[in-house]
Amino acid sequence: MMKHLLCWLILLITASISAQNLTSLYDIEQLPQTLLSNPGASIKFNKHIGVPFLSGFRLSGVSSGLTLYDIFSDDGEDINDKLRDAIANLSEDKDYFLLKSSLDIFNAGIKINKTDYLSFGMYQDNDLFFNIPRDVLYLGQAGNVGVYNEPKSINPFKIAGDLTTVFHIGLNRAVNKRLNVGVRFKVYSSILNIKSVYNSGSFYTTRDSYNNVQNIYQDINVLIRTAGFEGFEDTWQAIKRGGDSIISIDPDTGEIEEVPQPMSVSEASLLFLDRAFFSGNYGLGIDAGFSYLLNDNLRANFSFEDLGAVYLKSDITNYRYFGDYIHDGIQVDFEDGVNNSDEYWDSFILNLEDSFNDEETYESYVSWRPTQINFSLKYSFSEVVSPCDYRVSTQRYYKYAAGIQFHGINRPSNFLYRISGFFESRLTKNTLAKVTYSLNNYSYDNLGLLLSTNFKKFNFYIATDNILSYADLARANNFSVQLGAQFVFHDN
Amino acid sequence: MRNLLSIGFCLILSVCMSSCVKDIDFNQMDDITLNPNMDLALVKYRINSQQVMEAIMNKNGKLIDTVNLEALEEKDFRDKLEEARFEINVFNSLSCNVNYALRFVDAKNREVLGFTHKVAGANQNLVESDQNIWNISNYDSLQVFKRARKVVVEFVPQGYDTIGGEFYFGSNASLSLGL
């Protein structure tokens, strides 16, 4: 069981895919998705309607310290040696994995007057951040023999996860020809939440002056807060067993029994949607940003996303483990000879329970969203005026652009960042390509690509990060893909 | 230009669609063995010269006590136990020689495994120490050991103590588990 747990953990760490906002989608005037990362972006459309469930689908994953190849490479080496080396090569507290995905359920927008663009929608956001506690993994893999006289901290153990439905409405205003500002309000409905961030304590093994082994657990304080799990389990069981039963005859006993069947897809969807809308755990958040044209060619963008929190008060269970404990053997006193064997063990367990406590509580808590900030500077050049005919209104656009972007996100262990350089090219009037090169906390060879094209009013886009890794995902620390389809209506 | 576009889309889609994992063998997952080694103290005691006298006078010349090992009653724990190693450390500043024992017994108090040793008495305040280590690694010995449910400790002084010292007994277990 433990082996499979560890295997799945490794697979999850190394093969996870999730959705981070892709660098390549920031500040794209033709794409409505740019409003989700900067509500104050400069935009060049006056209406958009996303194809339900298809307007935005983002998957990306990060594993900063391990790759699949590190563990499962087919090189003839013993996998247990590779596992041991991989754990040893993790940093003590900096390595993490991130699983984040997002699915637009609907997304639309319309220009409500000359200056204002109103956009709104709903999406499902899944986010799981897990700081890999190297020393705890080591304890599971090798035991406490290797931790003699080296206190190992459990502080790096951090987990923050959320399965949330997000409803949003935003307003983008063109203040003047140079400045666009925007704001987006969000209502979060959290379906599942887990949070364990401020943990402390250490453990180690040592020997006393009599060479007696001492297992020491110092100042342990672990708090794991959860919300929605019981309700989610109920929903899951209802989906699995809530359909019409079928009558079955037991071949051995001949007894007639009712066998519960799963719900139909439509019934299950309704039940899940009910949970998505009325989870009982709600929060508020805000995105805001601006775009400023410094001169005819140079534009600066700044925005922040998800400054907000969810107040979790329904279906809460918090688990707390705390205390100090030193185990240095069971002391016998020869008082009752052979007759008191149970008392020693009972006393040992009682002492353990007195020293090392656990409790379940049900108080509400606040979970802050992972706030993101973005900044970009874009230089556009090679202006095109089309059509070249004085009788019709003209469209002016720059064929090329280049610049830099910064993306940062606040995570429980640290602030994760990405700095990118990009080159953008309008391949045709309706088609845009963008190439990005990014540096971040764990990778220095991250090439991204975006292609967006319009077929009349229908727009399709696809963007990927770390495209070099696609040839062999096993060696990749991260990859992301985002695609979508929508109808976009332009002024002309 | 349309050709270029088509090529671009085909390229990006083919990259995504043809993404793969190379030189990877997931079947190795079956070969993963987690063998944590857990070091922990087992039982310990300390006997002074007064207790030696009591043992000789009132307790048939020896002190004996038993500790229940409930962990060994758990089948899951027994199944995962692959190797056991025991270490006994004694320090004797009593003037008399001491026989000491650590015996594992089953639920009916039948001995399944026992270690008996002797440490010399202290001479001119010099503490006598002794360390003994037993490994139980072969299959048959391990199966025998897994029948144990209790551990019995025995202290048998060989004569009176005259210099007022003490006897310290400590035992450690190192358990290798296959998870």
Side-chain angles (χ1 to χ4, degrees):
Chain A
M1 182 65 183
M2 277 293 292
K3 186 172 90 173
H4 286 98
L5 270 177
L6 190 72
C7 291
W8 283 114
L9 181 64
I10 289 163
L11 271 180
L12 196 61
I13 289 168
T14 53
S16 61
I17 50 176
S18 80
Q20 267 186 304
N21 279 328
L22 289 175
T23 311
S24 43
L25 282 168
Y26 194 70
D27 190 25
I28 302 293
E29 294 177 328
Q30 297 80 6
L31 272 183
Q33 275 66 30
T34 202
L35 289 173
L36 291 176
S37 51
N38 182 5
S42 168
I43 52 175
K44 289 278 175 62
F45 46 88
N46 60 9
K47 188 161 61 175
H48 77 272
I49 303 170
V51 178
F53 295 97
L54 293 176
S55 58
F57 176 59
R58 300 191 287 270
L59 292 165
S60 71
V62 178
S63 163
S64 68
L66 282 175
T67 67
L68 276 175
Y69 189 82
D70 293 338
I71 310 292
F72 295 103
S73 56
D74 190 11
D75 55 5
E77 273 189 55
D78 183 4
I79 189 168
N80 294 296
D81 293 341
K82 288 184 282 189
L83 189 63
R84 190 192 57 230
D85 293 345
I87 292 172
N89 288 334
L90 289 168
S91 72
E92 186 182 344
D93 59 355
K94 294 281 185 253
D95 285 312
Y96 63 92
F97 87 92
L98 177 63
L99 180 69
K100 187 170 169 59
S101 65
S102 179
L103 174 70
D104 265 348
I105 295 167
F106 72 88
N107 183 13
I110 189 166
K111 200 166 190 173
I112 50 178
N113 57 42
K114 274 191 173 178
T115 57
D116 297 333
Y117 190 87
L118 185 73
S119 59
F120 50 90
M122 169 185 171
Y123 64 89
Q124 192 75 47
D125 190 56
N126 314 315
D127 187 287
L128 179 63
F129 179 89
F130 179 53
N131 220 53
I132 304 169
R134 181 192 66 184
D135 294 335
V136 177
L137 283 183
Y138 182 85
L139 190 66
Q141 199 248 344
N144 66 1
V145 176
V147 297
Y148 266 91
N149 302 319
E150 285 183 43
K152 300 295 181 184
S153 171
I154 62 165
N155 300 28
F157 171 66
K158 297 176 199 292
I159 185 167
D162 203 18
L163 173 60
T164 306
T165 308
V166 184
F167 306 89
H168 60 90
I169 184 165
L171 188 72
N172 177 289
R173 170 167 291 179
V175 177
N176 54 43
K177 283 187 177 176
R178 289 188 176 278
L179 179 66
N180 280 60
V181 295
V183 65
R184 179 171 306 282
F185 297 101
K186 290 178 169 174
V187 175
Y188 307 110
S189 174
S190 174
I191 301 168
L192 286 176
N193 185 279
I194 182 168
K195 185 180 174 187
S196 181
V197 177
Y198 302 109
N199 299 310
S200 60
S202 62
F203 61 90
Y204 65 102
T205 305
T206 188
R207 287 185 182 246
D208 63 14
S209 55
Y210 293 102
N211 216 16
N212 208 28
V213 172
Q214 291 184 314
N215 305 112
I216 298 173
Y217 301 85
Q218 278 180 323
D219 301 325
I220 301 294
N221 195 356
V222 175
L223 176 63
I224 302 171
R225 297 181 181 277
T226 69
F229 281 81
E230 202 171 309
F232 193 81
E233 174 66 17
D234 292 345
T235 304
W236 180 242
Q237 290 301 329
I239 288 170
K240 279 206 312 187
R241 307 169 70 86
D244 295 332
S245 298
I246 59 168
I247 304 298
S248 166
I249 299 172
D250 191 310
D252 297 328
T253 62
E255 287 180 4
I256 296 172
E257 56 183 4
E258 275 191 47
V259 180
Q261 295 297 297
M263 282 182 174
S264 66
V265 173
S266 56
E267 284 175 321
S269 303
L270 282 175
L271 196 63
F272 189 79
L273 278 176
D274 178 64
R275 183 131 196 92
F277 279 87
F278 306 110
S279 65
N281 294 316
Y282 302 108
L284 293 172
I286 188 171
D287 303 351
F290 69 85
S291 175
Y292 187 72
L293 196 62
L294 298 165
N295 61 41
D296 284 351
N297 300 87
L298 193 62
R299 180 179 290 282
N301 284 275
F302 174 81
S303 63
F304 63 83
E305 298 170 62
D306 279 322
L307 180 62
V310 181
Y311 181 58
L312 297 131
K313 61 182 178 59
S314 169
D315 194 6
I316 307 291
T317 311
N318 302 317
Y319 305 92
R320 184 166 175 239
Y321 308 91
F322 60 100
D324 298 89
Y325 181 65
I326 297 177
H327 174 70
D328 57 359
I330 296 173
Q331 174 91 42
V332 294
D333 55 18
F334 298 103
E335 290 295 317
D336 298 317
V338 295
N339 299 321
N340 68 344
S341 57
D342 286 340
E343 285 176 23
Y344 287 124
W345 189 267
D346 293 345
S347 167
F348 159 63
I349 296 296
L350 201 63
N351 184 26
L352 179 66
E353 287 175 350
D354 283 348
S355 309
F356 199 66
N357 305 289
D358 65 287
E359 64 181 25
E360 257 182 46
T361 61
Y362 307 97
E363 74 262 23
S364 54
Y365 65 98
V366 171
S367 176
W368 288 91
R369 297 284 296 169
T371 304
Q372 304 172 59
I373 60 168
N374 299 288
F375 168 78
S376 78
L377 205 57
K378 180 157 96 174
Y379 181 79
S380 304
F381 55 99
S382 192
E383 189 176 24
V384 175
V385 180
S386 74
C388 191
D389 184 340
Y390 70 92
R391 292 168 299 182
V392 296
S393 62
T394 56
Q395 268 196 327
R396 302 164 76 93
Y397 61 87
Y398 290 100
K399 194 167 183 187
Y400 304 112
I404 55 165
Q405 290 175 213
F406 174 84
H407 172 260
I409 184 166
N410 186 30
R411 290 295 185 180
S413 63
N414 51 7
F415 183 76
L416 307 180
Y417 66 89
R418 183 198 297 143
I419 299 165
S420 309
F422 66 87
F423 179 75
E424 214 177 284
S425 172
R426 293 284 288 264
L427 300 177
T428 71
K429 187 178 142 190
N430 292 319
T431 304
L432 177 94
K434 181 175 177 180
V435 179
T436 60
Y437 172 75
S438 302
L439 306 173
N440 55 29
N441 303 59
Y442 47 83
S443 163
Y444 300 102
D445 58 355
N446 189 340
L447 269 185
L449 189 60
L450 160 74
L451 275 175
S452 166
T453 190
N454 297 330
F455 303 96
K456 297 189 182 296
K457 304 298 180 195
F458 183 75
N459 168 265
F460 173 76
Y461 69 92
I462 182 167
T464 69
D465 240 5
N466 203 13
I467 199 162
L468 296 178
S469 71
Y470 281 66
D472 188 2
L473 287 174
R475 293 173 199 249
N477 283 103
N478 75 303
F479 83 94
S480 303
V481 63
Q482 181 163 353
L483 53 94
Q486 58 212 325
F487 293 93
V488 182
F489 302 87
H490 297 267
D491 290 329
N492 297 307
Chain B
M1 187 52 82
R2 280 193 176 176
N3 286 342
L4 187 64
L5 282 180
S6 305
I7 290 167
F9 268 106
C10 288
L11 185 69
I12 197 167
L13 281 172
S14 60
V15 165
C16 292
M17 300 299 286
S18 66
S19 62
C20 62
V21 289
K22 288 179 189 168
D23 308 323
I24 290 292
D25 178 12
F26 287 115
N27 290 328
Q28 293 179 88
M29 194 182 285
D30 295 333
D31 300 330
I32 291 179
T33 53
L34 299 180
N35 292 105
N37 289 300
M38 305 305 294
D39 276 8
L40 69 165
L42 199 59
V43 291
K44 61 181 182 180
Y45 61 83
R46 193 185 294 271
I47 302 289
N48 58 33
S49 54
Q50 190 180 343
Q51 289 170 295
V52 173
M53 295 298 288
E54 281 176 22
I56 291 170
M57 304 292 287
N58 306 322
K59 296 185 176 177
N60 299 323
K62 68 178 177 182
L63 295 172
I64 186 165
D65 213 338
T66 308
V67 176
N68 211 13
L69 299 175
E70 286 194 13
L72 282 167
E73 288 177 12
E74 301 290 331
K75 184 177 181 304
D76 201 38
F77 176 79
R78 292 199 306 269
D79 289 346
K80 289 182 168 60
L81 185 61
E82 292 186 340
E83 199 175 329
R85 176 179 177 272
F86 296 98
E87 173 191 318
I88 295 175
N89 295 296
V90 296
F91 295 84
N92 187 19
S93 58
L94 299 170
S95 60
C96 59
N97 296 345
V98 172
N99 286 345
Y100 59 92
L102 184 76
R103 305 179 198 283
F104 290 95
V105 299
D106 65 14
K108 293 179 179 173
N109 293 324
R110 291 175 301 207
E111 183 174 324
V112 295
L113 201 64
F115 314 110
T116 305
H117 276 271
K118 180 179 180 179
V119 62
N123 185 13
Q124 295 180 335
N125 293 331
L126 288 175
V127 177
E128 287 290 333
S129 64
D130 192 17
Q131 184 183 59
N132 294 283
I133 294 171
W134 294 273
N135 278 309
I136 304 174
S137 54
N138 72 60
Y139 179 81
D140 291 338
S141 305
L142 200 63
Q143 294 313 306
V144 170
F145 172 70
K146 285 178 181 180
R147 296 208 309 266
R149 297 292 179 273
K150 303 172 189 175
V151 62
V152 177
V153 286
E154 279 181 20
F155 168 83
V156 186
Q158 307 294 302
Y160 292 95
D161 171 60
T162 54
I163 58 171
E166 67 169 22
F167 176 84
Y168 175 84
F169 173 98
S171 57
N172 300 315
S174 183
L175 307 174
S176 179
L177 304 171
L179 304 180

